[in-house]
Amino acid sequence: ISNMLSKNVNILFEIDLDPKEVLNFIKLFNNERFGINYDTGNSSSLGYKFDIEMNYYYKFIKNIHIKDRLLYSYSVQLGNGNFDFINFKNFLINNNYKGVFVLQTARGPTSDDLENLKINRNFLLKLN
C-alpha cells in the first residue's frame, strides 16, 4: 500500500454505516490518501440525512456515486426516491466540492442507454 500511496493513488471506501461510525472508521487511517466514496442512493435508502452525514465526514469525500433509492429498497430513476438532490446540489456548490461524480443510476425508462444518460443529466442540470 505504501508504494501506491507514493504514486498519488487514493483508496476510497464506500461505507454503509451510521455517519458517526463512518467518521470513526476513516479517521483510523490518518492519511489524506484514504477517503470516502459517498453513495447518495445507499445513504438515502438507509434513512441517513445528507446534511448530518456532511457534518460528520464531508472533508473525507473524494468521489460521489449519484443514484436514488427508495427507503430500505431498490434504485429508482433520479428524483423518484428519497435522496434530497436540491440540498445536495446547494451544499456542494456552497462548499466548493472538487471531487469526482459517477452516475450510478437505475436503468431508465427506455432501452437506449444514451437517452437514459441524457434524462439523468437533464434532471441534475435542472435542479434549483
Side-chain angles (χ1 to χ4, degrees):
I1 287 182
S2 62
N3 188 32
M4 289 190 315
L5 296 177
S6 67
K7 296 183 191 239
N8 295 328
V9 172
N10 290 321
I11 298 173
L12 307 181
F13 298 93
E14 184 171 321
I15 310 166
D16 295 335
L17 298 172
D18 173 88
K20 189 173 183 179
E21 291 177 84
V22 172
L23 177 63
N24 290 337
F25 173 80
I26 203 66
K27 286 173 88 176
L28 292 172
F29 295 94
N30 195 28
N31 185 307
E32 68 180 28
R33 295 283 176 215
F34 289 87
I36 295 171
N37 174 75
Y38 179 73
D39 188 300
T40 62
N42 292 358
S43 287
S44 65
S45 175
L46 292 168
Y48 300 143
K49 301 298 181 206
F50 176 76
D51 54 341
I52 293 171
E53 290 176 296
M54 295 307 102
N55 284 334
Y56 275 102
Y57 54 77
Y58 171 72
K59 70 180 183 176
F60 296 102
I61 294 174
K62 297 178 185 252
N63 187 64
I64 297 175
H65 283 172
I66 297 179
K67 92 177 143 192
D68 207 357
R69 288 179 61 182
L70 298 170
L71 186 61
Y72 308 116
S73 193
Y74 53 87
S75 294
V76 294
Q77 193 75 28
L78 296 184
N80 293 324
N82 289 14
F83 191 71
D84 182 357
F85 283 100
I86 293 173
N87 187 24
F88 168 74
K89 176 185 175 184
N90 292 333
F91 179 89
L92 296 181
I93 289 170
N94 291 335
N95 288 279
N96 203 24
Y97 177 72
K98 299 281 190 211
V100 176
F101 294 101
V102 175
L103 287 176
Q104 194 184 50
T105 58
R107 293 279 179 202
T110 75
S111 60
D112 182 346
D113 289 335
L114 182 57
E115 185 60 30
N116 291 322
L117 177 61
K118 290 177 186 176
I119 291 168
N120 288 316
R121 177 185 172 270
N122 289 339
F123 169 81
L124 294 169
L125 291 175
K126 292 179 182 178
L127 288 172
N128 288 322

